[in-house]
Amino acid sequence: MVWRTPQLLWLLCCVPLVAGLLVWALRRRRRALEQFAQASLLPVLTADTAQHGHYWRGGLLVVAFTLLIVALAGPRWGFQWEEVRREGADIVVALDTSRSMLATDVTPTRLDRAKLALQDLVQHLQGDRIGLVAFAGSAFIQCPLTLDYGAFLESLRSVTVGIIPKGGTALGEAIRTGLAAFENQPGQHHALLIITDGEDHDGQIQAASQQAAAKGIKIYTVGVGSPEGELIPLSRDGRRSFLKDRQGQVVKSRLDTETLQQIALTTGGAYVYDAGPSLGLGEIYTRYLSRLEKRALTSTLERRYAERFQLPLALGLILLALEGCIRDRRSQAADKEPPERVSRSSLPGEEENKA
């Protein structure tokens, strides 16, 4: 037997608590009656009451409560083999890891915000493969295309500024490495997503973009940063400073919107800039990535278990209905037999009245 939501089985720990509360309530009711009248009078006062009715009702409630918890947990047993075909597109993410991604015009930093936005993007994927390319002055495949989103997120978390020793930003190299990650498959199933501030130092963007367009692969660019720019903070020996050029001038990194727009235009993709937490990745997936042509990725045999929650649910509802039918009063047939009466002389205070 397997369970759809086994976490709910922890609620069974509440069953003894519920049973204990019912027993406590019945005993408290009995003590209240004993305080109201003498013990010898209780059979007279409760003569028309079914003594065991409360216990039966309480027992049925406890059992019904248990069965409803089991039904909510979703018991399943008995299965049949079923062939499952998975379809999806291939998405490669090229993430800028150059020093300019340390700028804080996007909190906490450009790189950290991009990583958080990518984590949210993974939640939208529905059978699509995803891969990761890290780039700065050069580029390499950090995570090959995979359906294992956990492995992708683990690779994403390990990306930091400085993971690539060569400094600078080589957008052309990032595009070519991203194209190589697609394993030479038809381009209509593929999309390359580049997240960067747009600065480039290798001058090969146009040639790489045309190469992607020739393969039918669209590039979607996401700008990170602000057009006004921000200083690039550095930390050395516990001292905070800012990146400077060879002339000793402080470097301010600005978002290069024009370059990113040109890449998207050349390949038929789109450029998105959003200063919000998602950086516009949700919009890109909804409007573009989710509409990519799907292809068969895997075909596997999986067990399909039969749902059996109907049985405990039906029994629980039946017990609840029976609980409502149990009366606290005796039946009319029982009422015809008058209960044993206590003589008036046994009533308290009677002898005093006679005196």
Side-chain angles (χ1 to χ4, degrees):
M1 178 185 295
V2 295
W3 304 87
R4 179 175 293 276
T5 52
Q7 299 85 354
L8 293 178
L9 292 176
W10 285 101
L11 293 176
L12 292 176
C13 297
C14 299
V15 173
L17 177 61
V18 173
L21 288 175
L22 288 174
V23 172
W24 173 81
L26 291 175
R27 290 181 176 179
R28 187 171 182 272
R29 179 177 180 274
R30 183 70 180 181
R31 287 195 298 268
L33 287 174
E34 292 176 350
Q35 294 176 359
F36 174 74
Q38 294 181 0
S40 59
L41 295 178
L42 290 181
V44 177
L45 298 175
T46 61
D48 59 346
T49 302
Q51 295 297 323
H52 301 290
H54 298 294
Y55 293 97
W56 278 106
R57 293 180 66 180
L60 290 177
L61 284 175
V62 171
V63 177
F65 178 70
T66 303
L67 290 172
L68 291 179
I69 292 176
V70 172
L72 287 174
R76 298 183 294 173
W77 66 83
F79 65 89
Q80 60 182 0
W81 292 102
E82 182 176 331
E83 184 178 6
V84 178
R85 297 180 180 271
R86 299 185 185 276
E87 295 184 345
D90 289 341
I91 303 170
V92 171
V93 179
L95 180 59
D96 190 349
T97 64
S98 61
R99 286 186 176 183
S100 61
M101 295 294 284
L102 291 173
T104 58
D105 49 359
V106 177
T107 57
T109 65
R110 294 177 181 178
L111 180 59
D112 289 336
R113 174 49 55 191
K115 292 167 66 174
L116 292 172
L118 282 173
Q119 292 178 20
D120 293 337
L121 174 65
V122 171
Q123 304 301 321
H124 293 85
L125 301 182
Q126 300 176 355
D128 301 314
R129 294 198 303 175
I130 188 169
L132 179 63
V133 170
F135 72 93
S138 60
F140 70 93
I141 300 176
Q142 177 76 3
C143 178
L145 284 168
T146 180
L147 284 168
D148 188 346
Y149 300 147
F152 172 84
L153 292 175
E154 187 65 28
S155 298
L156 178 65
R157 283 190 284 269
S158 64
V159 172
T160 59
V161 171
I163 192 174
I164 298 178
K166 186 177 181 180
T169 306
L171 278 174
E173 182 67 19
I175 294 174
R176 285 192 294 269
T177 304
L179 297 180
F182 287 119
E183 305 168 350
N184 297 321
Q185 296 292 331
Q188 62 267 24
H189 308 294
H190 299 154
L192 177 58
L193 181 64
I194 300 179
I195 304 178
T196 178
D197 51 28
E199 294 183 345
D200 177 64
H201 302 124
D202 69 351
Q204 301 180 21
I205 293 178
Q206 189 62 27
S209 300
Q210 291 175 353
Q211 183 181 353
K215 292 185 176 183
I217 298 177
K218 296 181 179 180
I219 300 178
Y220 299 91
T221 53
V222 178
V224 185
S226 62
E228 298 78 16
E230 183 60 84
L231 302 179
I232 303 174
L234 298 176
S235 180
R236 294 178 181 176
D237 300 328
R239 297 181 180 180
R240 182 179 176 84
S241 60
F242 295 97
L243 183 65
K244 299 180 180 180
D245 57 19
R246 295 179 178 179
Q247 287 72 35
Q249 301 295 322
V250 177
V251 176
K252 177 176 283 190
S253 174
R254 295 180 174 84
L255 174 64
D256 189 348
T257 301
E258 183 177 351
T259 297
L260 299 180
Q261 288 176 336
Q262 186 61 41
I263 294 173
L265 181 63
T266 302
T267 61
Y271 166 71
V272 173
Y273 173 74
D274 188 345
S278 68
L279 300 180
L281 295 186
E283 177 186 356
I284 284 183
Y285 183 81
T286 302
R287 296 182 59 182
Y288 305 107
L289 301 183
S290 63
R291 300 180 182 180
L292 291 173
E293 183 178 343
K294 310 294 183 180
R295 67 183 181 90
L297 297 177
T298 58
S299 178
T300 59
L301 289 176
E302 295 185 0
R303 291 180 178 182
R304 293 296 184 184
Y305 286 92
E307 300 287 349
R308 306 295 186 182
F309 70 91
Q310 304 91 337
L311 297 178
L313 177 62
L315 289 175
L317 294 178
I318 290 173
L319 292 181
L320 288 177
L322 291 176
E323 184 272 338
C325 295
I326 297 177
R327 299 187 302 173
D328 293 335
R329 299 281 180 179
R330 292 182 183 272
S331 61
Q332 294 180 357
D335 291 341
K336 293 180 181 179
E337 300 180 2
E340 182 181 355
R341 299 293 182 178
V342 179
S343 62
R344 294 181 55 86
S345 60
S346 63
L347 296 176
E350 189 69 21
E351 297 179 357
E352 297 179 0
N353 292 333
K354 289 181 179 181

